[in-house]
Amino acid sequence: MKTFTLPGTDLVVPEVVLGLMRIADKTDDEIRTLVGTAADAGIDFVDLADVYGPALHECEARYGGAMKLTSSAREKVTIQTKAGIVREPLSFDFSYEHLLESVDGSLKALQTDYIDILLLHRPDALVEPEEVARAFDDLQASGKVRHFGVSNQKPSQMELLRRHVTQPIVANQVQLSVTHANLFTQGTAINMNGLDQSVDRDNGTVDYCRLHDIALQAWSPFQAGFFDGPFLGSDAYPELNAVIDRLAGQYGVPAEAVATAWILRHPARWQVVLGTTTPERVTAAAAGSDITLTRYEWYELYRAAGHILP
């Protein structure tokens, strides 16, 4: 597993992250097996959120209760969680009070004294960046949160935030897979009249993050679209799967590794966030960090997924 120092931090992190959105119904033994399998593959970074699970903080509590990390074990894992989504009624809240309340709930659920990275969970249209800055300052000063980031934010939203907060924004978690690649597609078809792909749905997010040393984290790396089901093995993507299977055989890795490697081949600083709870698939995807697709192979997969190169 390749690692890198997360920009703006002293954290050495793996290219692949274990997402724990779906562990609410898992037993403690199943959670420990999943986390242990990931650790064996070099994944010592877990991703959570306060709203993951049927109840507030439920997946955080399932992880904390199953792992019961000692102080020494805690120092060896990077824990990232998120705050800002309110489910009842569905809304967003980046207010000072909500962020502090959410972090306190996460710390209790995780059974830890600190969170390594806190992400603002999606954008809040009513964000008051001064409130966020005050929350970040107090959370950092108290030792409850060490680093901060965002999710699914466009450049202007990050720029507004960065104008007020004193801490660096270290990560932006966005949806990306070879089939859900709007972060790239407009850039390869810019100014092509009448071509739907040329419509800007990216807003320059990837370039902005590269310019400002913000790591990008890809969620749903195997999903065809917005929770449309996986593209791997899907009859809806025969050409793409034929290329994936050929490259998997060529490199001697599972198909999941090729899909992972496609994201990691991009020169921005990416992490791939896995959502699977199947240990074998974690091992399969992690293998993607150990191969480097050629430029031609990257574009071959891109074309096979239906993206146009004019």
Side-chain angles (χ1 to χ4, degrees):
M1 173 65 59
K2 294 188 183 74
T3 61
F4 64 96
T5 300
L6 193 69
T9 80
D10 59 356
L11 298 173
V12 178
V13 298
E15 288 189 329
V16 180
V17 173
L18 181 64
L20 298 175
M21 180 181 181
R22 297 181 175 90
I23 62 168
D25 62 349
K26 300 298 179 183
T27 66
D28 285 356
D29 283 343
E30 288 173 328
I31 293 170
R32 285 190 288 266
T33 296
L34 179 66
V35 173
T37 300
D40 290 343
I43 303 172
D44 55 5
F45 189 126
V46 297
D47 174 78
L48 289 144
D50 57 355
V51 293
Y52 288 172
L56 191 62
H57 298 293
E58 186 165 353
C59 285
E60 293 172 320
R62 295 293 302 113
Y63 172 78
M67 301 308 296
K68 291 184 169 57
L69 296 170
T70 64
S71 295
S72 59
R74 175 65 186 89
E75 289 295 329
K76 296 177 181 177
V77 61
T78 299
I79 296 178
Q80 174 177 279
T81 195
K82 311 178 195 74
I85 295 179
V86 178
R87 291 197 299 197
E88 295 293 339
L90 183 60
S91 55
F92 301 93
D93 190 346
F94 287 0
S95 68
Y96 173 87
E97 292 79 11
H98 180 79
L99 292 177
L100 265 64
E101 179 183 2
S102 177
V103 167
D104 284 342
S106 293
L107 291 172
K108 181 179 180 181
L110 291 164
Q111 300 184 30
T112 185
D113 296 327
Y114 66 94
I115 293 163
D116 293 288
I117 306 169
L118 176 71
L119 302 185
L120 297 178
H121 207 173
R122 294 193 171 274
D124 176 7
L126 303 180
V127 63
E128 297 175 86
E130 300 89 348
E131 286 275 290
V132 175
R134 187 159 66 98
F136 282 10
D137 284 345
D138 285 359
L139 289 169
Q140 188 175 65
S142 66
K144 293 179 179 180
V145 179
R146 295 186 171 177
H147 306 287
F148 302 89
V150 298
S151 70
N152 305 289
Q153 291 206 9
K154 63 182 181 178
S156 59
Q157 292 166 327
M158 289 182 279
E159 187 68 19
L160 176 64
L161 192 61
R162 291 175 68 244
R163 183 175 179 179
H164 293 84
V165 301
T166 58
Q167 301 81 4
I169 301 302
V170 304
N172 186 12
Q173 190 172 117
V174 294
Q175 186 175 6
L176 178 69
S177 71
V178 68
T179 53
H180 184 93
N182 60 288
L183 291 173
F184 302 147
T185 52
Q186 190 269 342
T188 60
I190 190 169
N191 200 37
M192 298 300 295
N193 186 40
L195 183 62
D196 180 73
Q197 183 180 306
S198 71
V199 177
D200 188 358
R201 298 181 180 90
D202 164 41
N203 301 302
T205 300
V206 173
D207 290 341
Y208 181 90
C209 289
R210 294 181 74 178
L211 286 167
H212 295 281
D213 293 325
I214 299 171
L216 286 152
Q217 299 176 345
W219 59 272
S220 287
F222 309 135
Q223 286 286 327
F226 186 71
F227 295 112
D228 291 336
F231 59 82
L232 291 173
S234 170
D235 292 340
Y237 296 92
E239 182 180 354
L240 175 61
N241 279 289
V243 177
I244 289 174
D245 291 344
R246 175 171 56 76
L247 291 174
Q250 176 182 318
Y251 284 100
V253 296
E256 291 89 347
V258 175
T260 298
W262 184 84
I263 295 171
L264 296 177
R265 175 60 179 83
H266 189 273
R269 190 66 276 174
W270 286 95
Q271 289 179 293
V272 173
V273 183
L274 305 178
T276 183
T277 57
T278 303
E280 294 77 13
R281 293 198 73 194
V282 171
T283 301
S289 176
D290 297 324
I291 64 173
T292 302
L293 298 175
T294 67
R295 182 181 296 267
Y296 172 78
E297 290 165 346
W298 191 92
Y299 276 112
E300 184 182 18
L301 288 163
Y302 183 83
R303 295 194 313 273
H307 309 306
I308 297 170
L309 292 176

